[in-house]
Amino acid sequence: MNEFTIVAFMIDISIISGLLLAGTILRAKLKWMQALFLPASMIAGFIGLAFGPSGFDWLPFSDQFSSYPGLLIAVIFAAIPIGAAKVNLKEIIHRVREMWSFSMLLTLLMWGAGALFGLIVLVPLFSDLPSGFGLILGAGFLGGHGTAAAIGEGFQYYGWDEAMDLAMTSATIGILIAVLGGLVLVKRSTEKGHTKFIQSFKDLPNELRTGLMGKTERTAMGEETVSPSSIDPLVLHISIIALVIGVSYWVSDILQKAIPAVSIPLFSIAFILALLFQVASRKVKADEYVDQRVMERIGGTATDYLVAIGIASINITVVVDYALPLALLFLFGTIWAYILFRFIGPNIFKDFWVEKSLFGWGWSTGTVAMGLALLRIVDPELKSKTTDDYALAYIGVAPFDIAIVTFAPMLVAFGFTWVIPLVLLVAGAIIIYVNRSFGLWGRRKLDQ
């Protein structure tokens, strides 16, 4: 990559912004895109891929274009803890233990099974395949392009340059599987009468199809916590994120010089520093001037740009070189995700197992946004409290999720690849055993 320039950055952002606008319009106008529930960011990414350097090469993306996901994932993770409401740990444990168990099992079993499948099936079949290839499944399916960017960056540090392209491809395919497979599951669930809030797949609100909110369905993006006469509220929130990211780069540089053999991803440092910032602001009673919804919108903005840039920057040549092992990995991932949907959800959840399991299907194959989109189909008014429970449960899931993404590339680089699936799958088995021991497993017969 040539030296980073602000001019190239502005040109890249203006092009991808135009593609995001085009994607929004196409989603609003084309019926077949509405039927697929493709997000505008994904449509923008496909257009960028087709007309960018890997396609017709009509769009003048710069050489630094593919480096943006590493920064955007840091923004996303930094926005998570800042402005978060204070929670009662005991209340969380009692209220969301089902969702925590479910989320942990999806996380551990998807990452673990993918890594194991790569080691026992793909690596022996394809002799030149890296030993960590199976982790590409979890990198893309479990967290989407954000996690893909994070783990791709980690592998790149240890010399596997193609990992970023493969992870972004996995995330893209994962979203397609999340949407297409999810729609099939929704249709089957409604036909069998398993859903609690809708009777037919046709009973979908128009905003879910077009992506445009009517005047009566619109909600506020956030609150003004400071007077614009002093500083614009949005500038305040962006300044906090920018400060955290800047300090994260500084800390990352210090750590890299101090421990050159070990790479701590930028997003991990950003998350920890953002958490410390939130604790400090709460101590001095300044946290009330940080609005969580505004922070969520900043994180959502970074996510949309990351998805679009991530897809548009995929190197097709790399994907073609790994086409067969990728296809086998994605086939296994799809079957495994369905097994988890069919057997974990019904055994864990006492109420609304279909709604909550569909949400799990969406984020375990694509992103949380895809899970929410599927949930809104079967639970338009969110009466199952699935999102509320997940938001609380994620507090207990996030450390494990971040640890996997942070240390998996390191373990692979140091030759401890087998440790990853063994630890993750054993941990998943322990969670199932504990749930069974306390009578929290086997809620209903699977044919109900």
Side-chain angles (χ1 to χ4, degrees), residues 105-179:
L105 285 171
L106 291 190
T107 299
L108 296 170
L109 298 181
M110 184 63 78
W111 276 109
L116 186 63
F117 181 77
L119 287 171
I120 66 176
V121 176
L122 297 181
V123 172
L125 278 177
F126 305 93
S127 57
D128 57 343
L129 213 59
S131 61
F133 186 82
L135 290 168
I136 294 299
L137 180 65
F141 276 39
L142 202 74
H145 294 82
T147 303
I151 204 164
E153 186 181 28
F155 275 123
Q156 282 182 331
Y157 180 84
Y158 292 107
W160 186 17
D161 293 332
E162 300 94 339
M164 181 68 80
D165 291 304
L166 297 176
M168 287 296 178
T169 302
S170 177
T172 303
I173 298 299
I175 289 179
L176 291 174
I177 291 171
V179 173

Side-chain angles (χ1 to χ4, degrees), residues 66-130:
S66 60
S67 67
Y68 302 147
L71 171 61
L72 291 169
I73 185 59
V75 174
I76 294 168
F77 273 83
I80 293 173
I82 299 177
K86 192 173 183 179
V87 293
N88 185 303
L89 188 59
K90 290 183 178 180
E91 179 184 343
I92 291 175
I93 293 174
H94 287 297
R95 178 180 164 186
V96 300
R97 59 189 176 191
E98 290 182 356
M99 181 58 77
W100 181 86
S101 295
F102 178 71
S103 300
M104 281 297 297
L105 285 171
L106 291 190
T107 299
L108 296 170
L109 298 181
M110 184 63 78
W111 276 109
L116 186 63
F117 181 77
L119 287 171
I120 66 176
V121 176
L122 297 181
V123 172
L125 278 177
F126 305 93
S127 57
D128 57 343
L129 213 59

Side-chain angles (χ1 to χ4, degrees), residues 94-369:
H94 287 297
R95 178 180 164 186
V96 300
R97 59 189 176 191
E98 290 182 356
M99 181 58 77
W100 181 86
S101 295
F102 178 71
S103 300
M104 281 297 297
L105 285 171
L106 291 190
T107 299
L108 296 170
L109 298 181
M110 184 63 78
W111 276 109
L116 186 63
F117 181 77
L119 287 171
I120 66 176
V121 176
L122 297 181
V123 172
L125 278 177
F126 305 93
S127 57
D128 57 343
L129 213 59
S131 61
F133 186 82
L135 290 168
I136 294 299
L137 180 65
F141 276 39
L142 202 74
H145 294 82
T147 303
I151 204 164
E153 186 181 28
F155 275 123
Q156 282 182 331
Y157 180 84
Y158 292 107
W160 186 17
D161 293 332
E162 300 94 339
M164 181 68 80
D165 291 304
L166 297 176
M168 287 296 178
T169 302
S170 177
T172 303
I173 298 299
I175 289 179
L176 291 174
I177 291 171
V179 173
L180 299 177
L183 293 177
V184 172
L185 294 175
V186 168
K187 189 172 182 180
R188 288 186 59 188
S189 297
T190 54
E191 288 175 350
K192 293 183 177 182
H194 289 170
T195 52
K196 301 293 185 182
F197 304 106
I198 66 167
Q199 302 301 318
S200 172
F201 182 70
K202 298 178 182 179
D203 300 336
L204 299 181
N206 191 56
E207 64 266 19
L208 282 181
R209 299 181 185 276
T210 64
L212 303 177
M213 302 291 288
K215 290 185 177 181
T216 58
E217 289 82 26
R218 296 174 187 176
T219 57
M221 291 175 58
E223 295 182 348
E224 294 187 356
T225 58
V226 293
S227 172
S229 64
S230 173
I231 184 172
D232 188 89
L234 183 58
V235 172
L236 172 68
H237 290 75
I238 292 176
S239 298
I240 294 172
I241 292 291
L243 174 63
V244 170
I245 298 300
V247 175
S248 299
Y249 267 108
W250 176 64
V251 172
S252 176
D253 185 58
I254 291 176
L255 291 174
Q256 190 166 337
K257 290 177 180 177
I259 320 173
V262 176
S263 171
I264 306 297
L266 180 66
F267 82 92
S268 300
I269 299 172
F271 181 83
I272 293 171
L273 291 179
L275 198 60
L276 293 175
F277 179 92
Q278 175 65 8
V279 171
S281 64
R282 185 168 290 155
K283 286 287 185 182
V284 298
K285 302 187 183 304
D287 59 310
E288 61 182 292
Y289 299 104
V290 180
D291 187 80
Q292 185 179 17
R293 285 187 62 80
V294 175
M295 282 299 177
E296 288 174 350
R297 296 283 61 79
I298 293 174
T301 299
T303 299
D304 279 340
Y305 275 99
L306 188 148
V307 171
I309 293 172
I311 296 174
S313 62
I314 291 174
N315 187 333
I316 297 297
T317 302
V318 172
V319 177
V320 171
D321 289 342
Y322 287 90
L324 185 53
L326 276 177
L328 293 174
L329 185 65
F330 297 154
L331 176 62
F332 166 78
T334 304
I335 296 171
W336 183 241
Y338 176 75
I339 292 173
L340 297 180
F341 164 83
R342 192 71 183 89
F343 291 96
I344 300 297
N347 281 299
I348 286 285
F349 294 118
K350 182 178 180 181
D351 300 308
F352 310 117
W353 81 265
V354 170
E355 288 77 12
K356 293 177 179 180
S357 296
L358 277 169
F359 173 74
W361 164 272
W363 72 256
S364 66
T365 54
T367 64
V368 172

